[in-house]
Amino acid sequence: MKSFERFGIVAAASTDAPVVPTVAVTGLQTMVTRRDERGQPVNPAEAVPLEDALRAYTVNGAYASFEERLKGTLAPGFLGDVTVFETDLFAIDPNDLHAVRIDYTIAEGNVAYAR
């Protein structure tokens, strides 16, 4: 992710199995800590700040699917897809991101998931 940014490439993240973890918080943790699911370092120089990792799942994901004028940010006229986490992701240790639970997922203005 860091190299993509350095070269001006808009990198999107996803939960498309089996290529990446199906749980977004695990993907966030991996991007921020550059440790695999066993805790082993994987090219630590490629770590990005949490804000950039979140952008990869939101704004950049919309851009990658040519939908940046429809979704990816919370703004008037956009679909309003949002995930509500149980805590502030910026307030916890990045190594604990994988354990954060999702309270709600809202897609196209409708509650798609409620814990």
Side-chain angles (χ1 to χ4, degrees):
M1 296 297 286
K2 192 62 137 180
S3 291
F4 287 152
E5 178 184 308
R6 188 172 61 249
F7 290 108
I9 299 168
V10 177
S14 72
T15 53
D16 295 339
V19 179
V20 294
T22 58
V23 180
V25 288
T26 301
L28 289 171
Q29 179 174 320
T30 302
M31 284 188 270
V32 173
T33 66
R34 293 303 301 170
R35 293 185 175 276
D36 66 17
E37 292 176 343
R38 295 180 310 264
Q40 299 301 309
V42 179
N43 200 358
E46 289 296 314
V48 296
L50 179 57
E51 183 175 343
D52 292 350
L54 288 167
R55 188 178 300 109
Y57 276 99
T58 56
V59 176
N60 295 359
Y63 176 83
S65 62
F66 305 100
E67 298 177 297
E68 67 270 23
R69 294 180 189 204
L70 182 63
K71 59 184 180 179
T73 61
L74 293 177
F78 281 55
L79 289 178
D81 296 354
V82 67
T83 299
V84 179
F85 296 99
E86 68 178 334
T87 190
D88 177 357
L89 300 181
F90 291 91
I92 64 169
D93 184 312
N95 292 299
D96 295 332
L97 284 168
H98 72 281
V100 173
R101 293 180 299 177
I102 295 170
D103 284 339
Y104 295 97
T105 300
I106 302 168
E108 297 184 23
N110 298 305
V111 175
Y113 171 81
R115 180 163 57 95

